[in-house]
Every structure is written in C-alpha cells, then in structure tokens.
Amino acid sequence: MVARGPVPVRILLLPLILATFLCRWSWADSEFPVHDDLFSLTFPTEKDGWACGRFGAILHTSDGGASWVRQSSGTTFTLSSIWFTDAKNGWAVGNKGTILHTSDGGQKWEAQQSPVELYHMDVLFLNPLKGFIVSERTHILGTEDGGQTWTVKFQDEDYILKGVSFCDDLHGWAVGEFGYTYRTQDGGDHWEKQAGFFTIDPDTGDMKGDDFLFDVAALDPRTALAVGIQGIVKQTADGGHTWNRVDAGAPPVPIYCIRSGPGGVIVIGGKGVCLVSGDRAKTWRPAEFLPSVEYNWIYAISPAGAGGFAACGEEGAIHVSPAGSPVWQRVRY
C-alpha cells in the first residue's frame, strides 16, 4: 500500500478559487447585488442616472438616485467611465479597449470597435454624435457618428491620460500622469501640450516628474481646474498657459474627481475627503456625509437633479446631495 501524504493546500483551495471566479464571472448577467468599487456616474436628466465599475458593473436609477438596479453590460472587464447624452443614449469604457453603447437606456449594451486595445480611462460626449475617450499612452480617441467609428485623434508619450472635460463645443482639456496637460480650441481636432514632465536623472537613476493629475473640469475657455495626488488642486485662468496651486484645505491624499454644477458650485472628492466651493474655487468647505466617508474613498462625482450632486466609490457606495442640502446621504451600501 502506498502511503498518502497530506493534500497540498493549493489543491484544497482550488475548488473555492474556481467557484469564486465563476460566481464573479456570472455577476455581469445576474441580479447579484453590486458591492464592487464604482468609478464613474452620470445624470443626463433629473431622474435618470447610471454608474459603472469593476467586473462590468452598470447600475441605473430612475428616481434621482434614491434606488438603483443592475443592468447587464455583457462584460466582466472593469468599466472606468460612463456618459449619457440623454435618457436613452450612453457609452461606457474601460479595460482592454472596451467601448459599450446603448440606445435604449441600458436595456441592451453593445460593443463598439476601438482602434486601440488600451485601458480607456474617461469618456464624454458633446452631443449624441460627437464624443471623446482618453486612454493609455496619451491617446485621445474621437467619434463623429455616435461611436460607429472611433479614430485616434491624438497621441503623445507613453503616459496615461485620466480625465477630459469640455466647457463648450470647442474648448477642452485632458490631464494625466506626471501632470501632462493638453488643450484643444477647435473641438478636439488638434491638441497642444501645456504642462507636465518626466525624466530620469542620468547620474542617480532617480525618476523625476510633475504631480499626477486624475481629473479636470473646464469652466470656460480660459478657466479650468485639475486635481491629483497629495491633495493637489490646480487652476488656470489664462487658457492653460499657467497653472497655479489652489489652497482648498485638502489633506495630502489623492483627489480623484472634480465636477462643476449650476451657480458656480464645484465639488472635489478623494480618499476620505469631499470639499465644496460655491464661488468657483475661491473658498472651500468640507461636505458632511452620513455615514462618514473618513475611511473610504470617492472616485466620481456628477451633477444630479436640479442643482444637486451624486458621488460613488468604494464597495459600490453611492451618495446623494439634493439641491440646497448640506448633507450627503448614502443611498447604496
């Protein structure tokens, strides 16, 4: 008789790992509650909003954010950004060049062809036909036909662009790693570099670069704000020729998102922090969250409803701040 030794732990764990994987894989087409991180949300109307995140998660609300239901995205790739132009037409982008489109409010999502298989970080549309995606390797993609065809509008050095914002049909900015900042003045046909650097010291081998930027908000053709690591908030008031630090009172933590709303209200959020300005970034105050987000992170913010805002982030949490209310309520756990 051959003596049998103990079964290796990795073999014992294999069924559990496989079951977990298969369960995770099936979530994209199930009603399983979403507790995965959410990275983006958009409200094209006062009532309708969408959020997206890890493992292809897409959520929809039809009551201004009070309740959310899962939609089937048809993918398990992480979706980093979502944008709707109205209650029917929307796009979501993410890993492995993923571009999804719906024309029926998310009842059905269909893949669109990306010209590059890169990790797409942010998407926005100026109208139902014209849109942009920023991606890895400083790629900016554009479409003029609602995404039936996407082309590379711009590419530069091998860095990741994280955010893009337009204030009108012509003027916009894109920002990313090492402070790389680009501006367009002709509706995205051409982009010019304005800031950012990265180098390696030939003597010491040390890397040197500008601050990472995660998001940008274009307020008008001459004014924009960008946020990044270590509580950084930067502003330009001259079309991007110069960018100056803004003292928002943020702690030295990553600030992931910035959005502007009606009446000059600007909201920024990040690791355990959310700050609000009612005077176009001149003064700031902390936002009050119930429950607190001191030990959590907020990854995306969107205007929602008539003058309100919504935010999403860690473990599928969504928070809503109605117009006129100083308190953000958590509506999803």
Side-chain angles (χ1 to χ4, degrees), residues 2 13 24 81 93 124 137 157 162 196 241 274 321:
V2 178
L13 290 177
R24 177 76 74 182
S81 182
V93 303
L124 69 75
R137 300 179 185 173
E157 301 183 59
K162 301 285 288 184
H241 297 293
C274 182
S321 173

Side-chain angles (χ1 to χ4, degrees), residues 27-28 30-34 55-59 68-72:
W27 287 358
S30 74
E31 295 301 318
F32 199 94
V34 175
F55 308 109
I58 294 181
L59 304 175
W68 296 79
V69 296
R70 188 181 186 112
Q71 294 184 333
S72 176

